[in-house]
Amino acid sequence: MIPMPEPALLAAFLAATLALNLTPGPDMAYVAARAAGQGRNAGVAAAFGVGAGCLVHTGLAAFGVSAVLRHSDFAFALLKYAGAAYLVHMAWGMWRARGSAEAAAAALPARGLGRIFLEGALTNTLNPKVALFFLAFLPQFVSAEAAHPVAATIALGFAFNASGTAVNVGVAVLASAAGARVAVSPLWRGILNRAAALLFVGLALRLALAERP
């Protein structure tokens, strides 16, 4: 049987989870950018990729590995700069993409659903702030008397991830519908690509300047 917290604690967890997952952040921005630029399937792939990254953080939080990031300046800096560099790499690809239908079609094979899934997972996994969030958030809802605290943490992580993935899939559907209206215009496709690139540069700078709590 999957260990879960007491009903009152579980209700508090679910309310906090919903509020947090509805708050816009880098993961949601990535999903929206992919869906608006390449359609619903791309956005959904990005959403599930982000979910895969969250599963990594859930495991790290459950087994305490994320504690290394809290106590090691070097580990935190290494991971955050790697994540920032990866965001800049994606931004450069978006910036170079042209607005023409021909170039857009040519770019699709290079960003297939598998690659988009991987990018979503890496974007989430390489963010040390997410690791620290999971380490700080999940244990609050695990009872000190829990017989299996690791299993309880993993169960809560799965619940949090299911909610977040559902929200991001909804974002993908909405963003793809908005993107479809401008897809026929090379001008708007170019503007969308450049705007997404600037957004990712901003996210990279924010991550690079993040301080360890």
Side-chain angles (χ1 to χ4, degrees):
M1 182 178 180
I2 298 177
M4 296 298 286
E6 296 297 321
L9 198 60
L10 179 60
F13 170 79
L14 294 176
T17 292
L18 182 60
L20 289 166
N21 283 324
L22 287 174
T23 302
D27 292 337
M28 188 180 290
Y30 176 71
V31 171
R34 279 298 185 200
Q38 291 185 235
R40 182 180 60 187
N41 289 343
V44 171
F48 278 98
V50 167
C54 285
L55 291 180
V56 173
H57 289 300
T58 296
L60 293 177
F63 292 101
V65 178
S66 293
V68 174
L69 294 176
R70 173 172 289 178
H71 299 292
S72 171
D73 289 332
F74 175 77
F76 183 85
L78 180 65
L79 190 57
K80 79 172 183 177
Y81 288 131
Y86 190 71
L87 288 173
V88 170
H89 168 72
M90 290 195 295
W92 178 241
M94 293 176 183
W95 185 268
R96 293 181 62 190
R98 301 295 182 184
S100 67
E102 294 79 5
L108 287 176
R111 283 180 171 80
L113 298 183
R115 177 174 174 179
I116 291 173
F117 176 91
L118 180 60
E119 287 182 348
L122 287 175
T123 298
N124 185 275
T125 302
L126 292 176
N127 189 341
K129 303 291 282 188
V130 178
L132 292 176
F133 166 77
F134 270 78
L135 181 64
F137 180 72
L138 294 182
Q140 297 180 41
F141 300 93
V142 177
S143 172
E145 293 79 27
H148 304 286
V150 170
T153 303
I154 291 175
L156 291 176
F158 270 86
F160 183 92
N161 197 21
S163 172
T165 301
V167 168
N168 281 331
V169 167
V171 169
V173 172
L174 293 174
S176 65
R181 289 195 290 270
V182 301
V184 295
S185 168
L187 174 62
W188 281 108
R189 289 193 65 90
I191 292 174
L192 187 63
N193 286 338
R194 297 295 174 86
L198 292 174
L199 172 64
F200 273 76
V201 169
L203 294 175
L205 289 174
R206 180 181 178 184
L207 179 58
L209 295 174
E211 297 292 336
R212 184 167 58 87

